[in-house]
């Protein structure tokens, strides 16, 4: 029997269930990017808010739009937009039935009215989780004028990109004289609200509407946010576990997540759900410190675990973080390098770093390094190069950043030689593979060509040639030696 509104209450008492009738939800939020993270994060906090607000909470149903996978929207519809969240504790799994999505749609459906739904007066908030690459940004955080998808949206009647959809929606709001919704970016992008605001304004100008661009800048709120929860890709075991925990009910789209949950939101004006009913959600006046700590310490360390771990034959983040050599290397990298310009007390940083390593090592979370390693060229500037630059300017060593960059380049070099089992996903994959092909046996040339890409790394690093030489040496070590041996030597240096 399929999970749905008619039977979810039949699940055992050990399963957490919504304390409201999902059929009574009314749409108040539109979400772009109905992926796994959204379903484990924003939906979780919104469900807590609806439950805490009683009848008033029913106005906060989520219209959740898949951007690339129509199948997920169809599967949600088949289950009345219900699904199971499996919280993977180190010693067991807790099941919760999620019910805050009131409607699931596919953004690229030819009949989609997504911009109109955003412009609907009932929509008070728009949230987004389209990944960092979904904003088409360059290393300095500005919108990429050469992005093919954005160029296609310039003349499209039904835009497919997040900036295109938002610009069309804001045009409709302005034409009607309505109040625009608050737009909350929930992706790992530095200053994500301010960055998205500028991207939307720029895209409006590209479409030849400077007046709309100015109106957006003056009238639409784009608060900054910071989100944090590890949500791995679904596995076949998830369906089996959901069926067992739900007492035999079938769920075709369950998801797993770690217990940790954090959502820090810049205060904004206007109606909103009582998100702080969830203990991991909070509203603050300035998100910057929280965001910087998370981007650098968590996301930057994730990248090193993925790239170096992948070279060492470690398939998951848990395996990589638990490795006796790579684990200590990442701990040092996180604490000594990635805390640059994070304005928090030393003991707070120590606790956060220790908590992160514990989370990374959670055996219940199967987070593949291949997945974490995606789109490195988009992530590199804010997560790795920003703290690296700050350290170099202070004369501090950056061995972890050098290893990370070299390991990333090595992925492309091996892929070009058809010697890497890990698949590569990156918007610049063809160009990066070609660099490695043109300089197959010349590590210095590879390092020079990669670090010269200002759209990825930004302007030249302090003492740039010395950094190029260091990356080239690390590339040579990773080529001559087994990656595990390189990591053991680095771990032993202390």
């Amino acid at each position: 029997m399929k999970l749905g509104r008619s039977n979810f209450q039949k699940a055992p008492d050990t399963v957490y269930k919504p304390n409201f009738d999902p059929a009574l939800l009314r749409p108040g939020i539109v979400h772009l990017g109905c992926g796994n993270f959204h379903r484990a994060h924003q939906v979780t906090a919104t469900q807590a808010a609806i439950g805490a607000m009683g009848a008033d909470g029913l106005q906060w149903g989520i219209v959740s739009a898949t951007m690339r996978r129509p199948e997920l929207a169809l599967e949600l519809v088949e289950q009345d937009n219900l699904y199971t969240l499996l919280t993977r504790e180190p010693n067991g799994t807790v099941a919760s039935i999620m019910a805050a999505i009131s409607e699931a749609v596919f953004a690229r459906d030819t009949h989609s009215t997504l911009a109109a739904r955003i412009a609907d007066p009932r929509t008070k908030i728009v949230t987004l989780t389209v990944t960092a690459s979904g904003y088409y940004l360059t290393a300095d955080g500005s919108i990429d004028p050469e992005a093919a998808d954005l160029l296609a949206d310039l003349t499209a009647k039904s835009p497919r990109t997040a900036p295109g959809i938002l610009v069309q929606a804001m045009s409709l709001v302005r034409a009607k004289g309505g109040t625009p919704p608050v737009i909350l970016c929930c992706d790992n992008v530095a200053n994500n609200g301010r960055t998205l605001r500028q991207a939307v304004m720029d895209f409006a100008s590209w479409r030849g509407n400077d007046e709309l661009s100015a109106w957006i800048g003056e009238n639409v709120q784009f608060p900054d946010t910071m989100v944090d929860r590890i949500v791995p890709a679904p596995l076949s075991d998830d369906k089996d576990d959901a069926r067992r925990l739900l007492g035999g009910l079938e769920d075709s789209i369950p998801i797993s997540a770690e217990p940790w949950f954090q959502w820090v939101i810049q205060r904004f004006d206007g109606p909103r759900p009582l998100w702080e009913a969830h203990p991991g959600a909070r509203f603050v006046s300035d998100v910057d410190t929280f965001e910087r700590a998370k981007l650098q310490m968590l996301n930057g360390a994730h990248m090193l675990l993925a790239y170096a771990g992948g070279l060492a034959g470690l398939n998951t983040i848990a395996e990589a973080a638990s490795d006796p050599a790579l684990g200590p290397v990442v701990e040092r990298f996180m604490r000594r390098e990635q805390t640059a310009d994070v304005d928090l007390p030393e003991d707070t940083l120590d606790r956060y770093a220790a908590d992160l390593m514990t989370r990374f090592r959670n055996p219940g979370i199967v987070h593949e390094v291949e997945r974490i390693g995606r789109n490195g060229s988009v992530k590199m500037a804010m997560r790795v190069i920003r703290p690296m630059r700050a350290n170099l300017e202070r004369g501090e060593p950056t061995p972890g950043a050098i290893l990370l960059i070299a390991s990333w380049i090595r992925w492309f070099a091996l892929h070009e030689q058809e010697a890497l089992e890990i698949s590569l996903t990156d918007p610049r994959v063809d160009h990066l593979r070609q660099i490695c092909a043109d300089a197959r046996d010349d590590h210095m040339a590879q390092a020079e060509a990669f670090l010269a890409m200002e759209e990825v790394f930004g302007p030249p690093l302090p003492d740039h040639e010395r950094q190029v030489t260091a990356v080239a040496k690390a590339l040579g070590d990773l080529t001559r030696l087994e990656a595990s041996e390189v990591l053991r030597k680095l771990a032993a240096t202390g």
Side-chain angles (χ1 to χ4, degrees), residues 36 64 70 99 135 149 160 173 192 209 234 280 287 332 345 434 455 476 480:
N36 302 323
S64 197
Y135 301 102
D149 290 343
R160 295 186 169 191
V173 173
N192 56 11
N209 198 332
V287 177
R332 288 204 302 267
Q434 191 59 48
E455 68 274 21
R480 292 183 298 99

Side-chain angles (χ1 to χ4, degrees), residues 130-149:
V130 296
T131 74
S133 61
Y135 301 102
Y136 305 93
L137 303 174
T138 60
D140 64 0
S142 61
I143 200 165
D144 186 352
E146 298 180 1
D149 290 343

Side-chain angles (χ1 to χ4, degrees), residues 187-228:
D187 280 298
N188 291 319
V189 175
N191 309 125
N192 56 11
R194 284 166 279 176
T195 299
L196 179 56
R197 174 181 177 271
Q198 191 60 55
V200 172
M201 291 174 63
D202 288 347
F203 191 76
S205 292
W206 286 6
R207 293 197 70 168
N209 198 332
D210 289 335
E211 291 183 359
L212 175 61
S213 176
W215 180 87
I216 291 169
E218 294 170 2
N219 294 278
V220 185
Q221 297 181 79
F222 289 84
D224 287 333
T225 73
M226 188 279 282
V227 296
D228 187 3

Side-chain angles (χ1 to χ4, degrees), residues 409 435-449 472 475-476:
I409 295 173
I435 289 175
C436 293
D438 292 342
R440 177 173 285 190
D441 299 315
D442 190 338
H443 300 126
M444 183 65 76
Q446 288 180 354
E448 287 176 341
L475 273 171

Side-chain angles (χ1 to χ4, degrees), residues 253-264:
I253 47 173
I255 52 170
S256 291
E258 66 168 339
W260 179 278
F261 179 106
Q262 193 174 26
W263 192 6
V264 182

Side-chain angles (χ1 to χ4, degrees), residues 54 64 91 158 168 171 256 310 361 370 386 421 436 453 464:
S64 197
N91 299 315
S158 298
Q168 187 178 62
S171 179
S256 291
R361 291 172 176 142
E370 178 179 309
R386 180 173 62 173
E421 294 183 3
C436 293
M453 293 188 295
H464 187 77

